[in-house]
Amino acid sequence: GQNIDQPTEMTATEGAIVQINCTYQTSGFNGLFWYQQHAGEAPTFLSYNVLDGLEEKGRFSSFLSRSKGYSYLLLKELQMKDSASYLCAALDSNYQLIWGAGTKLIIKP
Amino acid sequence: GAGVSQSPRYKVAKRGRDVALRCDSISGHVTLYWYRQTLGQGSEVLTYSQSDAQRDKSGRPSGRFSAERPERSVSTLKIQRTEQGDSAVYLCASSVWTGLAKNIQYFGAGTRLSVL
């Protein structure tokens, strides 16, 4: 079956760095997405990886290893506004997104 | 507006009744998705449709859920004979085209459905 695993909740300190891991098993693979979702709001696109390696975009970076079925989202210089849920989703061979349950990130001062 | 909008934002329904949720997607987007999001269980795709004036093609889940697309940028998710387990947030998302690998989906704010 198809499955996405990511931690349910993580806590980090303002100004620090946090890494949110995601492992996936899908029927075919056409890339991996990370979305950010604040409570009561729509998910917003953060990153897309389809090739192995690290992609950096400001304070956020995303890494992919296709052979390991693994990705992580790295957030640097954490700010209070980064408190949100982070959703990992893999695009399968039918170009359907398979979603993880999301990681709730709590930032403490 | 420029984004995806959904209405109503909140809906309360009596068990057994039918409900209809509306989504206005981004002009020019071809593919439209409906997801159900429940706390701790993530998002489950309900239906997706491509192009205009077509009914739901995914068939997931079958039976009580269906989507209609009366206009290119409008979709209506219909839930028949609602059950308490249908209580969730229903998210609509659209993308330019499903065939591209970079299938970035733009989401509406969701409709929170409570079935009593």
Side-chain angles (χ1 to χ4, degrees), chain B residues 33-112:
Chain B
Y33 301 80
W34 281 98
Y35 293 91
R36 177 168 60 187
Q37 190 177 53
T38 51
L39 190 64
Q41 296 180 34
S43 301
E44 170 193 19
V45 62
L46 293 174
T47 109
Y48 78 95
S49 65
Q50 300 181 41
S51 75
D52 55 350
Q54 287 191 7
R55 285 181 175 270
D56 151 58
K57 295 178 66 175
S58 73
R60 284 184 54 195
S62 60
R64 300 187 299 108
F65 292 77
S66 64
E68 293 186 4
R69 203 159 168 183
E71 302 169 34
R72 181 184 291 270
S73 62
V74 176
S75 176
T76 303
L77 177 71
K78 295 184 177 180
I79 309 173
Q80 295 178 305
R81 305 180 303 280
T82 51
E83 303 172 355
Q84 285 189 319
D86 296 333
S87 296
V89 175
Y90 289 82
L91 294 172
C92 171
S94 68
S95 65
V96 174
W97 184 253
T98 192
L100 292 173
K102 197 160 188 172
N103 184 8
I104 298 173
Q105 297 183 12
Y106 296 85
F107 284 84
T111 294
R112 182 175 292 278

Side-chain angles (χ1 to χ4, degrees), chain A residues 43-99:
Chain A
T44 55
F45 171 78
L46 287 178
S47 69
Y48 170 76
N49 294 66
V50 68
L51 300 176
D52 286 352
L54 184 69
E55 294 217 1
E56 300 185 68
K57 193 184 296 184
R59 295 190 298 115
F60 292 13
S61 302
S62 56
F63 171 84
L64 176 68
S65 169
R66 294 179 67 133
S67 61
K68 295 181 180 178
Y70 166 70
S71 173
Y72 68 72
L73 179 70
L74 190 72
L75 293 78
K76 303 176 186 176
E77 300 169 14
L78 286 170
Q79 302 174 9
M80 297 303 292
K81 67 178 182 179
D82 296 330
S83 293
S85 287
Y86 292 85
L87 308 173
C88 171
L91 201 60
D92 70 9
S93 57
N94 294 318
Y95 295 100
Q96 295 299 295
L97 275 179
I98 310 301
W99 294 86

